């Protein structure tokens, strides 16, 4: 049997896809993006560029015969530019732990327990960041849902685009004046209609626990039928209503979303990951610090959550 250190790293490399699946399927948005094929691996670089979609300032027009084409409004250089964010999760074993587990079976159990603990921590950290506003850890977190779909979309930046001067970079934000069981259905229907265009519309809505409960209560008197989709089977508590899966954020540990219901057209949302840091260990060999009786490796993830059409996303408060 290979030594303990090499066994851990080799196992992590072999199981990097399984680790990725566990992390991705722990979060309802990432799970939905995975179903759509919108989790994308790329070779690297310093930023992620997404061409702006649904920018109505650059458009064609009708013409007749020899009419001249007006090309003055076209700017194909407009693109959202997302920084590559980095997250790691360590897996460490002390010399005492190694010496206390000398048999092959003990070593395998120790490695398995350490890996499960590291993956569990990574799942929660990535999931929380995906829903956040990107300000955590000194602004090093992912450009999460709370930034993508802001309650104040006319200020700040998204993907390096100034939202105060570029209306096409803003999401829709609507205040209901106070959601209740008597008005939540009408307000949600209005949001879905506002964000729909032709055959396209929102397919996923993330709600705080309180707002999801209001929708649930409003539907209970009409004998709601549970949707038996893969999302429900995967463990997410979803209400499928008007073509949108409503899922709550919260439970043990509380909510990451501060307020409201985020409506998303996931066709235009991607999670882009650098291939060499796709839930893989940082090095081929574990590191043993010169001043510690221990060794460690770290699981790395590099990438960001990106949206090319913020105008088709919205928040209801």
């Amino acid at each position: 049997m290979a030594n303990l250190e090499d066994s851990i790293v080799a196992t992590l490399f072999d199981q990097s896809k399984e680790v990725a699946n566990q992390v991705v399927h722990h979060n309802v948005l990432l799970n939905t993006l995975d179903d759509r094929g919108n989790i994308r691996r790329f070779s690297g670089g310093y930023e992620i560029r997404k061409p702006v979609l649904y920018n109505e300032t650059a458009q064609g027009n009708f013409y007749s015969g020899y009419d001249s084409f007006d090309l003055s409004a076209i700017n194909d250089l407009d693109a959202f530019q997302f920084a590559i964010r980095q997250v790691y999760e360590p897996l460490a074993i002390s010399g005492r732990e190694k010496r206390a587990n000398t048999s092959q079976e003990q070593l395998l159990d120790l490695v398995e327990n350490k890996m499960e603990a590291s993956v569990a921590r990574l799942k929660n950290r990535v999931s929380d960041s995906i829903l956040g506003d990107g300000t955590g850890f000194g602004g090093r977190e992912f450009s999460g849902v709370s930034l993508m779909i802001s309650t104040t979309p006319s200020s700040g930046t998204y993907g390096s685009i100034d939202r105060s001067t570029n209306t096409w970079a803003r999401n829709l934000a609507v205040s209901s004046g106070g959601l209740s069981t008597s008005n939540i259905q009408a307000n949600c229907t209005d949001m879905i209609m506002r964000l729909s265009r032709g055959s396209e519309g929102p397919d996923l809505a993330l709600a705080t626990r309180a707002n999801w409960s209001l929708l649930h209560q409003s539907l209970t008197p009409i004998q709601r039928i549970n949707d038996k989709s893969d999302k429900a089977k995967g463990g997410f508590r979803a209400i499928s209503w008007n073509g949108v899966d409503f899922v709550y954020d919260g439970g043990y540990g509380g909510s990451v979303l501060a307020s409201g219901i985020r409506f998303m057209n996931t066709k235009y949302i991607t999670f882009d990951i650098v291939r060499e840091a796709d839930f893989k260990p940082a090095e081929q060999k574990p590191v043993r610090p010169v001043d510690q009786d221990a060794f460690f490796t770290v699981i790395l993830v590099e990438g960001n959550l990106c949206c090319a059409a913020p105008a088709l996303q919205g928040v209801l408060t």
Side-chain angles (χ1 to χ4, degrees):
M1 177 182 176
N3 63 50
L4 178 63
E5 296 93 328
D6 291 343
S7 296
I8 288 178
V9 176
T11 302
L12 285 174
F13 268 106
D14 290 342
Q15 295 186 5
S16 61
K17 289 184 178 180
E18 175 59 28
V19 173
N21 284 336
Q22 288 190 50
V23 175
V24 164
H25 296 156
H26 185 64
N27 178 275
V28 66
L29 174 56
L30 294 183
N31 186 67
T32 302
L33 297 181
D34 191 36
D35 288 344
R36 273 192 173 274
N38 280 7
I39 294 183
R40 300 174 180 173
R41 276 76 176 174
F42 64 103
S43 58
Y46 293 99
E47 64 182 14
I48 305 168
R49 293 177 62 88
K50 295 290 180 179
V52 176
L53 301 178
Y54 283 85
N55 176 6
E56 297 299 335
T57 61
Q59 58 185 348
N61 212 330
F62 291 97
Y63 74 100
S64 176
Y66 291 96
D67 288 351
S68 298
F69 297 150
D70 180 7
L71 307 179
S72 60
I74 295 179
N75 183 2
D76 289 330
L77 298 180
D78 278 341
F80 292 105
Q81 302 172 38
F82 298 93
I84 294 178
R85 303 302 188 191
Q86 300 171 280
V87 61
Y88 73 93
E89 185 59 48
L91 190 158
I93 294 180
S94 70
R96 180 70 188 91
E97 289 175 319
K98 180 181 178 182
R99 291 187 290 273
N101 295 272
T102 55
S103 72
Q104 180 174 341
E105 292 77 12
Q106 288 176 317
L107 291 177
L108 290 173
D109 288 343
L110 178 63
V111 169
E112 182 177 349
N113 290 336
K114 289 284 186 176
M115 286 182 59
E116 286 181 357
S118 292
V119 172
R121 294 192 300 269
L122 183 61
K123 287 194 299 186
N124 291 329
R125 188 172 302 282
V126 169
S127 184
D128 287 351
S129 183
I130 286 294
L131 298 180
D133 61 5
T135 61
F137 294 87
R140 296 183 180 92
E141 284 196 296
F142 297 127
S143 302
V145 170
S146 297
L147 176 64
M148 179 202 315
I149 310 174
S150 172
T151 54
T152 56
S154 60
S155 62
T157 62
Y158 181 69
S160 299
I161 300 294
D162 186 353
R163 282 177 154 172
S164 65
T165 56
N166 297 286
T167 58
W168 42 264
R170 303 175 188 172
N171 59 270
L172 175 65
V174 175
S175 174
S176 66
L179 291 171
S180 66
T181 54
S182 62
N183 68 18
I184 192 168
Q185 290 188 39
N187 277 285
C188 287
T189 298
D190 182 62
M191 284 293 293
I192 294 170
M193 293 170 65
R194 291 191 188 203
L195 295 170
S196 296
R197 185 167 183 172
S199 62
E200 295 186 353
D203 58 303
L204 179 66
L206 292 180
T208 61
R209 186 171 67 250
N211 287 325
W212 190 89
S213 180
L214 289 176
L215 181 60
H216 185 279
Q217 292 175 47
S218 74
L219 294 172
T220 300
I222 60 175
Q223 299 298 311
R224 176 179 56 86
I225 304 300
N226 287 329
D227 173 42
K228 296 182 179 179
S229 66
D230 289 340
K231 296 181 184 64
K233 291 178 182 178
F236 300 113
R237 302 298 188 269
I239 297 173
S240 184
W241 183 68
N242 274 356
V244 179
D245 287 319
F246 287 79
V247 184
Y248 71 80
D249 165 55
Y252 180 79
S255 298
V256 176
L257 297 176
S259 62
I261 304 174
R262 263 74 177 182
F263 291 78
M264 289 175 281
N265 185 331
T266 60
K267 176 180 178 180
Y268 300 100
I269 303 173
T270 60
F271 186 49
D272 297 72
I273 314 173
V274 177
R275 287 193 185 93
E276 295 304 311
D278 178 11
F279 303 94
K280 295 182 176 68
E283 300 291 342
Q284 295 284 347
K285 294 285 184 179
V287 176
R288 182 184 291 276
V290 295
D291 59 347
Q292 284 184 295
D293 179 23
F295 71 92
F296 73 93
T297 186
V298 293
I299 305 172
L300 298 181
V301 184
E302 290 186 5
N304 212 337
L305 184 71
C306 308
C307 179
L312 298 183
Q313 324 298 323
V315 57
L316 172 66
T317 58

